[in-house]
């Protein structure tokens, strides 16, 4: 899964033609590099990011999505808002990626009313506050229990299990220690009986380990990708598709599954 953020330049809200063009050309590149899914996001959920209005999020995502449909690649839309989910599904999105696991009122219904795939992610707190001293007694048990409940809520709402993937939410209300503990025990998440998605690319845990800024975390991200594959992850959410595809090729050859 290749990440495409529709981000504003300094004079725009992200809904301008140039911002959209940049997102489309980036998505085209990731598709050419072999991404199986393009994950399109119009709201920054990095720790402490400024909020984006619903209308602004729609203005960012929908026109880009309409253009990307021409590539014939499944498009995932990263959103927490039911109105954005509905508009995205009407515009041809194949997957909804929700960092709060369909917790918003109406979100379960928005997804249940279509045949799309959905990623249910764990987050502790909200993006504004989640990195302020997150605490767990047992991070793996707690995140797994949360995801088990989220899968149960989704299936009870009529979303078939075959449409669901689960994600422990690396960096969302978790310290580097928590993230590493989850990664060490990622295989335990297979008891959820849905595919596991892992998003570690360029995250601050890599910065903490290597001392490098976000634009120098490629090697660390590739190491994380390999560890996630070894833990059984089936979808890797990454910025660097071409390089990650090579990691996957090496891992598959090692596993004798190339
Ligand atoms: C994730 C995400 C992730 C899923 C972001 C960033 C922050 N969606 N959206 N999993 N991260 N499912 O890319 O650094 O880990 S935004």
């Amino acid at each position: 899964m290749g990440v495409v953020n529709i981000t504003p330049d300094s004079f725009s809200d992200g809904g301008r033609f140039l911002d959209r063009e940049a997102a489309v050309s980036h998505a085209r590149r990731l598709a050419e590099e072999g991404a199986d899914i393009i994950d399109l996001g119009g709201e920054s959920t990095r720790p402490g990011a400024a909020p984006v209005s619903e209308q602004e999020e729609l203005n960012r995502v929908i026109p880009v999505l309409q253009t990307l449909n021409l590539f014939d690649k499944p498009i995932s839309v990263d959103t927490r808002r039911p109105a954005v989910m509905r508009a995205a599904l009407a515009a041809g999105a194949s997957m909804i990626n929700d960092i709060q696991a369909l917790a918003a009122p109406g979100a379960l219904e928005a997804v249940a009313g279509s045949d799309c795939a959905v990623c249910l992610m764990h987050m502790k707190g909200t993006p504004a506050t989640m990195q302020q001293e997150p605490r767990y007694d047992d991070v793996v048990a707690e995140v797994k229990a949360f995801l088990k409940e989220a899968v149960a809520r989704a299936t009870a709402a009529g979303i078939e299990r075959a449409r669901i993937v689960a994600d422990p939410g690396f960096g969302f209300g978790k310290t580097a220690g928590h993230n590493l503990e989850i990664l060490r025990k990622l295989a335990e998440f297979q008891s959820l009986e849905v595919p596991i998605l892992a998003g570690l690319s360029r995250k601050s845990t890599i910065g903490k380990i290597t001392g490098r800024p976000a634009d120098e975390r490629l090697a660390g991200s590739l190491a994380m990708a390999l560890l996630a594959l070894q833990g059984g992850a089936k979808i890797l959410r990454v910025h660097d598709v071409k390089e990650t595809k090579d990691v996957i090729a090496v891992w598959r050859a090692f596993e004798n599954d190339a």
Side-chain angles (χ1 to χ4, degrees), residues 45-46 78 97 99 119 121 167 172 197 199 203 237 239:
T45 47
R46 284 173 191 284
D78 192 338
N97 173 24
I99 62 160
C119 178
M121 197 194 82
D167 179 348
F172 286 85
L197 185 154
K203 283 192 177 168
R237 182 180 179 279
H239 301 87

Side-chain angles (χ1 to χ4, degrees), residues 190 222 225-236 244-258:
Q190 285 176 34
L222 297 177
L226 182 59
L227 293 168
L229 289 168
Q230 290 203 300
K234 291 291 188 288
I235 304 176
L236 303 177
T244 306
K245 292 281 283 192
D246 283 358
V247 172
I248 294 169
V250 168
W251 175 74
R252 281 195 173 153
F254 174 77
E255 294 278 294
N256 213 359
D257 180 36

Side-chain angles (χ1 to χ4, degrees), residues 8-255:
D9 70 24
S10 44
F11 301 104
S12 150
D13 64 3
R16 285 201 325 177
F17 178 75
L18 284 177
D19 304 318
R20 292 173 187 161
E21 277 298 287
V24 168
S25 61
H26 190 58
R28 181 176 291 117
R29 181 172 136 203
L30 298 186
E32 284 165 5
E33 289 180 356
D36 295 312
I37 306 169
I38 300 293
D39 189 43
L40 196 57
E43 180 207 27
S44 177
T45 47
R46 284 173 191 284
V52 173
S53 75
E54 182 170 295
Q55 191 55 52
E56 205 168 300
E57 193 182 345
L58 287 165
N59 291 346
R60 291 182 185 188
V61 170
I62 302 304
V64 174
L65 174 60
Q66 285 164 339
T67 308
L68 296 192
N69 281 333
L70 306 175
F71 298 1
D72 213 22
K73 282 269 182 195
I75 310 295
S76 157
V77 172
D78 192 338
T79 186
R80 301 188 276 168
R81 291 189 165 117
V84 178
M85 294 174 188
R86 287 181 192 280
L89 293 167
S94 299
M95 181 171 188
I96 297 297
N97 173 24
D98 185 358
I99 62 160
Q100 57 182 37
L102 305 181
L108 282 167
E109 294 79 2
V111 169
S114 82
D115 62 357
C116 69
V118 62
C119 178
L120 304 175
M121 197 194 82
H122 174 270
M123 168 168 59
K124 190 179 179 82
T126 65
T129 60
M130 65 191 180
Q131 291 308 99
Q132 294 166 8
E133 290 190 62
R135 274 171 215 277
Y136 301 84
D137 289 324
D138 179 338
V139 67
V140 170
E142 287 173 51
V143 171
K144 210 164 54 165
F146 171 93
L147 290 173
K148 188 173 173 192
E149 176 66 27
V151 171
R153 280 178 73 239
T155 53
I159 303 168
E160 299 82 357
R161 183 172 283 269
R163 294 166 52 194
I164 301 172
V165 305
D167 179 348
F170 291 102
F172 286 85
K174 294 162 190 93
T175 63
H178 294 141
N179 292 322
L180 289 165
E181 181 67 7
I182 291 169
L183 191 53
R184 263 178 221 117
K185 296 189 177 162
L186 197 63
E188 293 186 20
F189 288 80
Q190 285 176 34
S191 66
L192 294 167
E193 298 182 309
V194 294
I196 299 303
L197 185 154
L200 289 147
S201 182
R202 300 186 188 172
K203 283 192 177 168
S204 68
T205 294
I206 300 167
K208 179 126 191 198
I209 295 167
T210 62
R212 300 196 187 278
D215 63 349
E216 293 177 20
R217 293 180 189 160
L218 174 58
S221 297
L222 297 177
M224 289 296 196
L226 182 59
L227 293 168
L229 289 168
Q230 290 203 300
K234 291 291 188 288
I235 304 176
L236 303 177
R237 182 180 179 279
V238 304
H239 301 87
D240 302 287
V241 168
K242 176 169 168 268
E243 294 84 354
T244 306
K245 292 281 283 192
D246 283 358
V247 172
I248 294 169
V250 168
W251 175 74
R252 281 195 173 153
F254 174 77
E255 294 278 294

